Amino acid sequence: MEVEIATIGGYEAVGRQMTAVRAGDDVVIFDMGLNLSKVLIHDNVETERMHSLDLIDMGAIPDDRVMSELEGDVKAIVPTHGHLDHIGAISKLAHRYDAPIVATPFTIELVKQQIKGEEKFGVQNDLVKMEAGETMQIGERNELEFVNVTHSIIDAINPVLHTPEGAVVYGLDKRMDHTPVIGDPIDMKRFREIAREDEGVLCYIEDCTNAGRKGRTPSESVARRHLKDVMQSIEDYDGGIVATTFSSHIARVKSLVEFAKDMGRQPVLLGRSMEKYSGTAERLNFVDFPDDLGMYGHRKSVDRTFKRIMNEGKENFLPIVTGHQGEPRAMLTRMGRGETPYELSDGDKVLFSARVIPEPTNEGQRYQSEKLLGMQGARIYDDIHVSGHLREEGHYEMLDALQPQHVIPAHQSLKGFAPYVDLAENMGYKVGRDLHVTRNGNMIQLTE
Ligand SMILES: [Zn+2]
C-alpha cells in the first residue's frame, strides 16, 4: 500500500498545524490550526467574518491547496487537543471536506463552540467523540486509534493510523507526565506495544517545541507544588492577590482555586476565555469546582464583581484573570492600566502561573504589563509554570519506545528542528534518508 504524508502547516513555525496522511485510498487529516500571532499583529481583525483565502495569505491558517495532489478520500479530520494552533482553522477549512471531525469529548466541545462563532462559513461536518484507548475503522484496511497523552490542556491524545505498512504516529503535543493533576498519565505502555505489533511504526511525526531544552519536562504536579509554595508564603498578606494563567490550562486553574480556598480567600474566575474553558470543563465533569466559584466573562459582570471585591475587602478574594502574556485587551492588562474598579495598592501580589511565550510581541507586551502593574505598587511572582512540551530526554524516550522507520520533525521553525535533528541523527537516523526535515506544503512518500 502507498503511504504518503502531506506536511501542510506548522513546519515553518509554531502555529497553524495541519498534516494529512494518505494510506491507499484513505486520507486522514491531523489538526487544522490557527497561528494567532499572525492575526493579533493586525489591529481589529475579526477572523469570524474573514474568508479562508485571505487568512491563508496572512499566514494565519494552513494553506491546504496541496490536498488536491493527494489521490484519496478524506475519511476523518482529527484535532489532537483543544489549543487554537490545533483547532483554530476548523471553522475555515473543514467544510471543504466531506468527513467527520473526530476528537475526544473536551476537544469536540471546544470545536463545537468555535463553529458556533463562525460567521462566514456553514460548517456541517459530523462531530464524533472518541475517547483515548478507542479505535475507529478508516476505509477497509486502516484503523485510527487514540493514545492518551499529557499536555497543558485536558483530554489530549496522540492519534495513530494503523496501516498494513505499519503505524503512523502523530506525536503533537505532549509532555511525559506520570503524575498529572487531572486525568490519566501518558500511556507509554501502549506506545511500546504499538512498536512491537505487526509492522511496527512506519513513521513518527514529532512536536519539536522544546527539543533544544536539556533534561525532562517536569510533571504538572511539580508546578502545583511550586504554586502551593508561593501561595503559602503570602498566606498572611492582608491585601490584594491576583493570579493569571492560561485559561485553557484547567489543571492549573484547579490548583489556583484549591489553594485560594486553603488561604481563606474566595477564588473568582474573570475574563471571557476563563469562563469558556473552565465552564466547559466543569460541565463535562473533568473538574469539580466549589459550588460558590464565580465565573464571569462579560465586561459588566466582571466590573460588578471587581466593585464587590473592593467593597467587601480585597483580602477576602483571589481573582484569577486572563492576561498572562500581557495581551492588550486582557483583564490583567486592563487592571494594570487602571481601567477596572479593582485598585492595586503598594505590596499587592500578582502571580504569573505561566511563562512568556518567547516571541518579541509577547515579550514586549508582557514587559509593558508588568511595568504598569509595578507602577501601581504590585509585586510580581513570575514563571510558576512547567511546559506542556517534551524536552530532549522525552524525545529520546519516545524514539526509543517507538523505534520508527521514518521520523518527521514538526511544530517548529527550521532553527527549532536543529536540536531534534541532532538527537535523531545520534540515534542512527539520517537527514535525507529516514529523517525528513521539511517545509509547509510538501509531500513525503514513505512506501510505494
Ligand atoms: Zn498544544
Side-chain angles (χ1 to χ4, degrees):
M1 181 185 276
E2 268 190 301
V3 178
E4 62 180 336
I5 314 277
T7 57
I8 302 163
Y11 292 85
E12 294 175 11
V14 178
R16 60 166 178 162
Q17 266 46 255
M18 181 168 168
T19 300
V21 180
R22 179 175 76 86
D25 296 328
D26 305 321
V27 176
V28 175
I29 293 173
F30 296 126
D31 290 331
M32 273 184 181
L34 174 74
N35 187 339
L36 198 59
S37 64
K38 298 279 185 189
V39 176
L40 294 179
I41 201 152
H42 305 280
D43 275 340
N44 296 323
V45 169
E46 288 187 29
T47 56
E48 293 86 351
R49 289 183 198 155
M50 282 182 74
H51 197 276
S52 315
L53 289 176
D54 297 326
L55 286 161
I56 288 173
D57 285 344
M58 277 169 73
I61 63 170
D63 185 352
D64 68 342
R65 285 171 285 191
V66 66
M67 287 295 290
S68 61
E69 292 171 36
L70 275 183
E71 289 171 17
D73 294 327
V74 176
K75 294 289 165 64
I77 298 166
V78 181
T80 52
H81 61 284
H83 283 152
L84 273 184
D85 57 331
H86 296 256
I87 67 167
I90 287 178
S91 56
K92 300 294 178 186
L93 297 177
H95 65 279
R96 303 193 204 195
Y97 305 97
D98 181 18
I101 297 162
V102 185
T104 57
F106 187 66
T107 308
I108 281 285
E109 193 55 36
L110 296 177
V111 168
K112 202 185 280 177
Q113 290 173 21
Q114 195 206 42
I115 290 173
K116 212 186 272 176
E118 170 64 28
E119 292 174 21
K120 184 92 187 159
F121 301 107
V123 180
Q124 307 282 339
N125 307 59
D126 284 342
L127 301 180
V128 178
K129 285 181 201 155
M130 187 162 120
E131 306 259 3
E134 293 183 346
T135 60
M136 171 185 278
Q137 190 68 30
I138 299 288
E140 280 178 13
R141 299 178 66 196
N142 302 302
E143 191 182 54
L144 176 69
E145 175 184 359
F146 282 1
V147 179
N148 188 63
V149 298
T150 40
H151 188 37
S152 43
I153 188 167
I154 50 176
D155 223 12
I157 50 96
N158 275 177
V160 178
L161 187 67
H162 295 277
T163 80
E165 305 285 342
V168 175
V169 180
Y170 182 77
L172 282 57
D173 300 355
K174 62 179 170 297
R175 69 164 161 240
M176 233 169 249
D177 199 333
H178 302 288
T179 51
V181 169
I182 297 177
D184 292 327
I186 185 170
D187 194 352
M188 288 306 292
K189 180 167 161 274
R190 183 61 194 137
F191 282 127
R192 280 188 211 99
E193 277 169 12
I194 291 169
R196 287 192 300 265
E197 281 172 5
D198 307 320
E199 303 300 313
V201 176
L202 173 64
C203 182
Y204 181 47
I205 301 162
E206 179 59 301
D207 147 28
C208 297
T209 310
N210 280 345
R213 301 184 72 188
K214 287 200 176 87
R216 84 179 286 278
T217 310
S219 161
E220 180 59 24
S221 54
V222 173
R224 184 176 159 90
R225 274 202 298 278
H226 185 186
L227 190 58
K228 187 169 189 174
D229 175 57
V230 170
M231 289 174 78
Q232 273 178 341
S233 77
I234 51 177
E235 201 167 21
D236 296 332
Y237 181 65
D238 59 0
I241 303 177
V242 180
T244 181
T245 189
F246 299 88
S247 50
S248 60
H249 202 325
I250 305 302
R252 196 67 55 76
V253 173
K254 173 184 151 83
S255 297
L256 280 163
V257 165
E258 286 174 7
F259 299 147
K261 284 277 183 191
D262 291 349
M263 294 169 89
R265 287 175 184 250
Q266 176 61 34
V268 51
L269 305 184
L270 299 176
R272 251 185 359 177
S273 58
M274 276 293 164
E275 183 190 32
K276 167 184 155 168
Y277 289 103
S278 285
T280 303
E282 188 174 41
R283 227 175 25 256
L284 298 183
N285 291 320
F286 280 96
V287 61
D288 189 15
F289 286 127
D291 290 339
D292 58 354
L293 176 68
M295 297 183 199
Y296 305 101
H298 289 288
R299 181 73 65 94
K300 271 188 189 158
S301 53
V302 169
D303 283 354
R304 211 179 305 130
T305 307
F306 276 139
K307 276 185 197 137
R308 183 160 72 90
I309 291 173
M310 293 310 291
N311 285 335
E312 293 178 21
K314 285 190 289 184
E315 69 279 9
N316 299 315
F317 292 90
L318 184 107
I320 300 165
V321 301
T322 53
H324 52 88
Q325 300 296 314
E327 304 91 325
R329 282 186 284 263
M331 199 59 60
L332 189 62
T333 316
R334 291 181 53 221
M335 293 168 86
R337 285 198 300 255
E339 290 175 9
T340 74
Y342 190 98
E343 285 163 34
L344 286 157
S345 321
D346 278 347
D348 280 358
K349 323 291 181 198
V350 178
L351 278 43
F352 284 88
S353 195
R355 173 172 168 258
V356 192
I357 295 165
E359 205 222 313
T361 310
N362 289 55
E363 283 163 347
Q365 286 175 351
R366 168 72 174 268
Y367 175 83
Q368 197 178 12
S369 173
E370 279 186 36
K371 280 284 170 227
L372 287 167
L373 292 163
M375 281 155 69
Q376 300 196 42
R379 306 306 306 169
I380 307 289
Y381 293 73
D382 201 2
D383 259 344
I384 313 166
H385 187 59
V386 298
S387 166
H389 300 271
L390 293 174
R391 291 189 194 172
E392 188 175 356
E393 294 316 312
H395 287 301
Y396 173 87
E397 280 188 55
M398 281 309 299
L399 285 176
D400 188 54
L402 291 174
Q403 300 285 326
Q405 291 174 48
H406 296 269
V407 179
I408 306 176
H411 209 279
Q412 257 300 355
S413 62
L414 210 46
K415 192 174 157 196
F417 290 154
Y420 189 82
V421 167
D422 278 347
L423 170 75
E425 289 213 321
N426 277 326
M427 292 177 75
Y429 294 92
K430 203 169 165 57
V431 172
R433 185 184 67 200
D434 46 15
L435 176 58
H436 307 273
V437 175
T438 186
R439 309 291 280 162
N440 292 339
N442 285 338
M443 296 281 183
I444 298 164
Q445 180 111 20
L446 297 175
T447 59
E448 303 201 350

